[in-house]
Amino acid sequence: MQMGYRGIYEQYRQLIITGLLKPGDKLPAIRVLAEELKVARKTVESAYAILVGEGYIVSQGARGTRVNPDLKVSAVSSPVEAKVADAGINEILDLRDGSGDLRLGIPALDEFPFKKWLLLSGKAARSLRPEEMTNQPLMGYAPLREALASYLQISRGITCTPEQLFVTNGYRTNIRLILQSLAQHNDKVVMEDPGYFFGQKLLKRIASNLHYSPVNQQGLDTCYFKKHHHDARFVIITPTHQSPLAVSLSLPRKHELLAWASENQGWIVEDDYDGEFHYTRKVIPALKSLDINERVIYIGTFSKTIMPALRIGYIVMPPDTIQRFRETGEIIEAGQPLLPQKILSMFLSEGHFFKHIKRMRTLYQQRREIMLGALHALYSDIFYYELTDGGMHIVAFLRKGVQDVPLAAIWQKHNLQVFPLSSWYSQSQKRYGLVLGYTNIRSEAHAITLLEKPLRETLVLINSAT
Amino acid sequence: MQMGYRGIYEQYRQLIITGLLKPGDKLPAIRVLAEELKVARKTVESAYAILVGEGYIVSQGARGTRVNPDLKVSAVSSPVEAKVADAGINEILDLRDGSGDLRLGIPALDEFPFKKWLLLSGKAARSLRPEEMTNQPLMGYAPLREALASYLQISRGITCTPEQLFVTNGYRTNIRLILQSLAQHNDKVVMEDPGYFFGQKLLKRIASNLHYSPVNQQGLDTCYFKKHHHDARFVIITPTHQSPLAVSLSLPRKHELLAWASENQGWIVEDDYDGEFHYTRKVIPALKSLDINERVIYIGTFSKTIMPALRIGYIVMPPDTIQRFRETGEIIEAGQPLLPQKILSMFLSEGHFFKHIKRMRTLYQQRREIMLGALHALYSDIFYYELTDGGMHIVAFLRKGVQDVPLAAIWQKHNLQVFPLSSWYSQSQKRYGLVLGYTNIRSEAHAITLLEKPLRETLVLINSAT
């Protein structure tokens, strides 16, 4: 089925009205879209002409066609409505809120050791003593820092003292605190491309000199990095399971990066967000475990292993940097509440965490198999995979076409909170597909039920491109 | 008793070694110190000469005498020791940590309704449901935002909807989030002088165009402000009880400020840190309650009314700014854990908070009287007061001399965590004294016991200046 100019017009108008394309966003070049949709250039030109006439888009000559930067998508009439009305893609999805299936990075809610957790929570809550009501040490509750140091040694091969740990409320604070403690204004910061969706957004906001380095089958392309970003001061990477491609940084590349950091006084920020979940062979030790020159700043979170609502993350500070983190922290950070730290430290030190992680490792491996089976059954013509050994999500690459943004919008309409892969890219040649979480898939039937919902519309969209 | 050069040398050497004077800090001019200590200039010159000879200080001609900027106070041999060794005044005091008497802004620990709080904490802890494990709404737990809106209406005369509330972990995050959401690079930010010790440190770090406006008996000097900072975009003030002087901003000045903000699209950040505690007449309504044009951003905290370890503060966002706070928040903030928010919302909505505040208001008034009585009994020759009607601290002004920094160091040595008043000033003519908290003074005997500890050394120090 070939699309007419009216269909193209309607599709883009919807994308703009719903906020999936925002004021200032670029539209595909006429030639590219015509090829993609297998229609005559004239057809796309006609659709664009109507959109220009109605003020949705503007043509800026060599700079291409964009959504009208002055467009007010809809009148904001009340604070509550504003939340939806003035929304970009992340606002619409409310990606950080609680609902929806196939979400990324959410632990298996049905298999969480609830009884044990609630028991410890009640115990911790009742253990408050008057002297604990005052400000607690900024870098975290001492027993938690001790339990964390011991956990990191055993599970991730990292040797550090409790004094090297800074307990935070998660990824965003980790990154902010690292840059605010150690970066000079305009220090070059390099991120993986593609890279963590929310990490990109954050760094675009707080790093004034941000660059990207592409990722291939062995993780970050260290050749490219050393050629173009030799002078970087920070490189922020996900070596164990690259986010989102899930590839692991090869050992030679790890050593190349460590050597670069030592020689250039660079800092490697290792984001080990789901390093616990590796299935088909021995768990990969953290890059930090090879870091004899103390150039790696390791960051972790309990959002993936326990629950996001706990809001506990941490930084492993190289010894020489502790004082700088401390000084900056005392000035800009408010610190974490005591009670969640107490609960977590009990859960860790009583051994429940290890048991839990071990169970989840097996469970997630099974659920991934179930998810892949259901995807094969329903979508074998649509997606292909480049499977790796771990993680908490699958990247389903599109076999053809580039329309992963409208595709994700369709899935989201069915309450499947997947991400379009292309939105994780910044400058590198984009790839297209969906990023899906599978940790809460309870059975084959459950997977099929969920995946069937957007099937018809997916086929229509993808086949419109043939 | 006159001090010899050796005594002066020893005193300054100690201040430097212990980190109370930091590398780069300025020493008094020879003439000024000689007058202050009532010694010959030659005596001070001799003391300074030894300090220069030993490398503790450097003379920089017209720029004055400073602690050697290259001075390494002591070799940092381990992370744990580093904490103490490389310390500035705030590091040494560990002002945010839990111990010490006469601390500022700490609620009465002995009179907290512990039983009720622990009961609710246990209940909240056991109420966790699986769907609450995922990310919670960034701006806070909905029932807490509702309870807060109703509390602000009743207690502070502020009309706002739950949608206008952003729950945070306290003062530092409030200020950071406001500037990051609403400020353009280089917007002029004005702070009170003297002003909140930690607020100054924070703003010096995050506001590139920071200015000060003096405070007098009626609060912020609005004449000065309008003359010199008419073009400001933010003014950050403590109108109910100025921090630290505890004066209240007069009603005419409140209206002047509101008019300035409306006419110039300025933002008034109202830090109402202890507005609940006003004793001798009706509680003063918040400045925000007069803000018909929505130019006031109100910030509050439960650190003073419940406990610092809870780490819950909040921002009341003017309706037009909600979307900007939301967008910035989604990018840079990690959000707050659920459990403390649940406990607090129960405590508020079941009416315990109101009862607690009412009891504390009476209690703090009594404890202030006790504290003043003990100060009068022991230190009537040393301090005088300019008493106001509320707050959680007393400013004890020095009758003579400027040595509040060494004086505070003496008190701190006795585990009395008072602040030197002069350290709250930035540019205005400094006043000297101690800022003392009295909320945990349990009896007259308790007050006398604590205040007697530094008595002898205080007399020696102060009399050395006669």
Side-chain angles (χ1 to χ4, degrees):
Chain A
M1 188 190 81
Q2 249 198 9
M3 257 181 143
Y5 74 93
R6 203 74 216 174
I8 299 170
Y9 156 79
E10 196 53 47
Q11 188 174 341
Y12 277 93
R13 192 175 150 271
Q14 281 301 326
L15 288 172
I16 295 166
I17 287 176
T18 54
L20 289 171
L21 281 171
K22 283 191 291 192
D25 280 359
K26 210 170 167 180
L27 272 71
I30 290 173
R31 185 184 45 76
V32 173
L33 189 63
E35 266 173 38
E36 163 80 17
L37 300 178
K38 303 270 186 289
V39 297
R41 287 201 192 181
K42 261 265 169 277
T43 312
V44 176
E45 275 171 22
S46 307
Y48 277 24
I50 306 175
L51 290 163
V52 170
E54 295 184 350
Y56 285 106
I57 65 176
V58 288
S59 175
Q60 303 182 313
R63 295 183 49 222
T65 303
R66 292 176 189 268
V67 180
N68 186 349
D70 301 317
L71 190 66
K72 293 279 172 291
V73 172
S74 109
V76 176
S77 58
S78 88
V80 192
E81 286 171 31
K83 182 172 159 178
V84 176
D86 187 16
I89 184 165
N90 43 339
E91 278 71 50
I92 284 208
L93 302 186
D94 245 327
L95 284 167
R96 293 218 287 188
D97 288 357
S99 66
D101 292 303
L102 309 188
R103 302 176 71 78
L104 299 189
I106 305 292
L109 305 181
D110 58 332
E111 292 284 341
F112 184 74
F114 243 76
K115 219 171 129 182
K116 181 55 71 183
W117 183 264
L118 295 192
L119 198 77
L120 290 179
S121 298
K123 203 170 145 188
R126 290 186 308 271
S127 75
L128 183 71
R129 298 188 315 273
E131 63 271 26
E132 292 179 330
M133 288 171 59
T134 60
N135 278 308
Q136 296 301 304
L138 177 74
M139 289 190 176
Y141 179 57
L144 176 58
R145 294 167 84 192
E146 280 162 32
L148 259 173
S150 132
Y151 149 73
L152 286 169
Q153 176 73 69
I154 297 168
S155 294
R156 309 296 298 127
I158 295 171
T159 304
C160 69
T161 65
E163 289 75 23
Q164 284 177 258
L165 287 161
F166 198 134
V167 177
T168 70
N169 60 352
Y171 178 84
R172 288 165 179 76
T173 303
N174 289 343
I175 297 287
R176 253 202 309 106
L177 195 49
I178 289 168
L179 293 183
Q180 284 176 309
S181 300
L182 304 181
Q184 305 286 323
H185 181 66
N186 239 24
D187 272 354
K188 192 190 240 193
V189 177
V190 175
M191 196 194 179
E192 300 165 314
D193 196 10
Y196 181 44
F197 183 80
F198 293 111
Q200 272 182 52
K201 301 253 174 214
L202 174 65
L203 287 166
K204 279 180 186 157
R205 182 82 186 237
I206 66 172
S208 54
N209 187 8
L210 178 63
H211 295 261
Y212 300 90
S213 229
V215 173
N216 57 26
Q217 285 302 315
Q218 303 184 302
L220 184 84
D221 184 339
T222 41
C223 268
Y224 182 99
F225 173 75
K226 290 200 291 186
K227 188 169 165 202
H228 294 90
H229 302 308
H230 194 263
D231 58 337
R233 184 133 158 84
F234 295 86
V235 55
I236 299 173
I237 53 169
T238 48
T240 305
H241 302 130
Q242 203 275 333
S243 173
L245 299 178
V247 295
S248 302
L249 189 66
S250 70
L251 195 63
R253 289 190 176 184
K254 283 183 179 171
H255 285 291
E256 273 181 76
L257 264 189
L258 290 169
W260 162 82
S262 296
E263 284 156 23
N264 299 278
Q265 299 296 298
W267 292 112
I268 300 168
V269 179
E270 174 177 21
D271 174 16
D272 197 28
Y273 66 106
D274 71 352
E276 287 292 354
F277 301 117
H278 205 82
Y279 310 130
T280 50
R281 52 174 164 142
K282 203 170 165 298
V283 168
I284 304 173
L287 171 57
K288 176 71 186 167
S289 69
L290 307 171
D291 176 34
I292 47 172
N293 292 316
E294 298 283 9
R295 302 308 305 173
V296 176
I297 303 161
Y298 177 94
I299 62 176
T301 173
F302 287 93
S303 291
K304 313 279 182 285
T305 47
I306 295 198
M307 66 181 88
L310 185 65
R311 299 251 50 81
I312 297 186
Y314 54 91
I315 303 171
V316 180
M317 303 170 283
D320 281 355
T321 65
I322 294 176
Q323 192 55 24
R324 275 181 283 171
F325 274 100
R326 185 178 153 79
E327 281 170 2
T328 301
E330 291 284 358
I331 292 169
I332 66 164
E333 288 299 318
Q336 306 312 315
L338 177 61
L339 180 52
Q341 297 186 73
K342 264 194 173 179
I343 300 170
L344 178 59
S345 88
M346 285 179 177
F347 195 73
L348 279 165
S349 60
E350 294 183 11
H352 308 298
F353 185 65
F354 288 96
K355 263 183 264 174
H356 173 54
I357 290 297
K358 212 176 145 204
R359 278 190 58 230
M360 290 307 103
R361 208 174 278 138
T362 314
L363 184 77
Y364 293 167
Q365 188 176 1
Q366 291 163 354
R367 290 186 169 183
R368 191 167 80 141
E369 287 309 308
I370 291 172
M371 183 68 172
L372 284 168
L375 282 166
H376 280 303
L378 295 174
Y379 291 93
S380 58
D381 291 347
I382 310 284
F383 299 127
Y384 70 100
Y385 313 91
E386 291 172 359
L387 292 176
T388 50
D389 294 345
M392 295 171 77
H393 66 265
I394 289 169
V395 181
F397 295 96
L398 277 178
R399 286 189 187 276
K400 62 186 177 199
V402 300
Q403 302 206 67
D404 61 355
V405 171
L407 181 62
I410 289 169
W411 286 47
Q412 286 152 13
K413 213 177 59 188
H414 290 282
N415 206 26
L416 305 176
Q417 302 298 13
V418 299
F419 277 82
L421 175 62
S422 64
S423 69
W424 297 53
Y425 282 85
S426 294
Q427 291 176 343
S428 305
Q429 177 70 48
K430 288 185 185 181
R431 299 181 68 183
Y432 300 87
L434 298 180
V435 187
L436 317 111
Y438 53 78
T439 46
N440 280 284
I441 292 297
R442 292 189 301 273
S443 65
E444 255 173 75
H446 184 213
I448 294 284
T449 307
L450 293 179
L451 291 177
E452 264 178 354
K453 291 200 265 174
L455 180 58
R456 197 188 51 79
E457 286 161 274
T458 299
L459 294 176
V460 169
L461 179 78
I462 299 298
N463 290 331
S464 76
T466 55
Chain B
M1 188 192 80
Q2 247 196 13
M3 258 181 143
Y5 75 92
R6 202 75 215 170
I8 299 169
Y9 157 78
E10 195 53 47
Q11 188 175 340
Y12 276 94
R13 193 176 150 270
Q14 281 300 326
L15 289 171
I16 295 166
I17 288 176
T18 55
L20 288 171
L21 282 171
K22 283 191 290 192
D25 280 359
K26 209 171 167 178
L27 272 71
I30 290 174
R31 184 185 47 76
V32 173
L33 189 62
E35 266 174 35
E36 162 81 17
L37 299 177
K38 303 270 186 287
V39 297
R41 287 199 193 183
K42 261 265 168 280
T43 312
V44 177
E45 274 172 21
S46 307
Y48 277 24
I50 307 175
L51 291 163
V52 170
E54 295 185 351
Y56 285 106
I57 66 175
V58 288
S59 174
Q60 302 183 315
R63 293 181 52 220
T65 303
R66 291 175 190 269
V67 179
N68 186 347
D70 301 317
L71 188 68
K72 292 281 171 293
V73 171
S74 110
V76 175
S77 58
S78 88
V80 192
E81 285 172 31
K83 182 171 159 180
V84 176
D86 187 16
I89 183 166
N90 44 338
E91 277 73 48
I92 282 211
L93 302 186
D94 245 327
L95 285 167
R96 294 217 288 188
D97 287 358
S99 66
D101 291 303
L102 308 188
R103 302 177 70 77
L104 298 188
I106 304 292
L109 304 182
D110 57 332
E111 292 284 341
F112 185 73
F114 243 76
K115 218 170 127 185
K116 180 56 70 184
W117 183 264
L118 296 192
L119 198 76
L120 289 180
S121 298
K123 203 169 144 188
R126 290 186 307 271
S127 75
L128 182 71
R129 299 188 314 272
E131 62 272 26
E132 292 178 329
M133 289 172 58
T134 60
N135 278 309
Q136 295 302 304
L138 177 74
M139 290 191 176
Y141 179 56
L144 176 58
R145 294 168 84 193
E146 280 162 31
L148 259 173
S150 132
Y151 149 73
L152 286 169
Q153 176 73 70
I154 297 168
S155 295
R156 308 298 297 127
I158 295 170
T159 304
C160 69
T161 64
E163 290 75 23
Q164 285 178 259
L165 288 160
F166 199 134
V167 177
T168 70
N169 60 352
Y171 178 83
R172 289 164 177 78
T173 303
N174 289 342
I175 297 288
R176 252 202 309 104
L177 195 49
I178 289 168
L179 293 183
Q180 284 176 308
S181 299
L182 303 182
Q184 304 287 323
H185 182 65
N186 239 24
D187 272 354
K188 193 190 241 195
V189 177
V190 175
M191 198 194 178
E192 299 165 314
D193 195 12
Y196 181 45
F197 184 80
F198 293 110
Q200 273 181 51
K201 302 252 174 214
L202 174 65
L203 287 166
K204 279 178 186 156
R205 181 83 186 237
I206 67 172
S208 54
N209 187 9
L210 178 63
H211 295 260
Y212 300 90
S213 228
V215 173
N216 58 27
Q217 284 302 317
Q218 302 183 301
L220 185 84
D221 184 340
T222 41
C223 268
Y224 182 99
F225 173 76
K226 289 199 293 186
K227 189 170 164 201
H228 294 91
H229 302 308
H230 194 265
D231 58 337
R233 184 133 158 85
F234 295 87
V235 54
I236 299 174
I237 53 169
T238 49
T240 304
H241 302 129
Q242 202 275 332
S243 172
L245 299 179
V247 295
S248 301
L249 190 66
S250 70
L251 195 63
R253 288 190 176 183
K254 283 182 180 171
H255 284 292
E256 272 181 77
L257 264 189
L258 290 169
W260 162 80
S262 294
E263 284 157 22
N264 299 279
Q265 298 296 298
W267 292 112
I268 301 168
V269 178
E270 175 177 21
D271 174 16
D272 197 29
Y273 66 108
D274 70 354
E276 287 292 352
F277 300 117
H278 205 83
Y279 310 130
T280 52
R281 52 175 164 140
K282 203 172 165 298
V283 168
I284 304 173
L287 170 58
K288 176 71 185 167
S289 69
L290 306 172
D291 176 34
I292 47 173
N293 291 316
E294 299 283 10
R295 302 308 305 173
V296 177
I297 303 161
Y298 177 95
I299 61 176
T301 173
F302 287 92
S303 290
K304 313 278 181 287
T305 47
I306 295 196
M307 67 181 87
L310 186 65
R311 299 251 52 81
I312 297 187
Y314 54 91
I315 302 171
V316 180
M317 304 170 282
D320 281 355
T321 65
I322 295 175
Q323 191 56 22
R324 275 181 282 170
F325 275 99
R326 184 178 155 79
E327 282 170 3
T328 302
E330 290 284 359
I331 292 169
I332 66 165
E333 290 299 317
Q336 307 311 314
L338 177 61
L339 181 51
Q341 298 187 73
K342 263 194 175 180
I343 300 170
L344 178 60
S345 90
M346 284 179 177
F347 196 73
L348 278 166
S349 61
E350 294 183 11
H352 309 297
F353 185 66
F354 288 98
K355 262 184 263 173
H356 174 54
I357 291 297
K358 211 176 147 205
R359 278 190 58 231
M360 291 306 103
R361 208 174 279 139
T362 313
L363 183 76
Y364 293 167
Q365 189 177 1
Q366 292 163 352
R367 291 187 167 182
R368 191 168 80 142
E369 287 310 307
I370 292 172
M371 184 68 174
L372 283 168
L375 282 165
H376 279 304
L378 296 174
Y379 291 93
S380 59
D381 293 344
I382 310 284
F383 299 127
Y384 70 100
Y385 313 91
E386 293 172 358
L387 291 175
T388 51
D389 294 345
M392 295 171 78
H393 66 267
I394 290 169
V395 181
F397 294 96
L398 277 178
R399 286 189 188 276
K400 61 186 178 198
V402 300
Q403 301 206 69
D404 63 354
V405 172
L407 181 62
I410 289 169
W411 286 47
Q412 286 153 11
K413 213 175 59 185
H414 290 282
N415 206 25
L416 304 176
Q417 303 297 13
V418 300
F419 276 82
L421 176 62
S422 64
S423 70
W424 297 53
Y425 283 85
S426 293
Q427 290 177 342
S428 305
Q429 177 68 48
K430 286 183 187 183
R431 300 180 69 184
Y432 299 87
L434 297 180
V435 188
L436 318 110
Y438 53 78
T439 46
N440 281 284
I441 292 298
R442 292 188 302 273
S443 66
E444 255 172 75
H446 184 213
I448 294 285
T449 308
L450 294 179
L451 290 177
E452 264 178 353
K453 291 200 265 175
L455 181 57
R456 196 187 52 78
E457 286 161 273
T458 299
L459 294 175
V460 170
L461 179 78
I462 299 298
N463 290 330
S464 75
T466 56

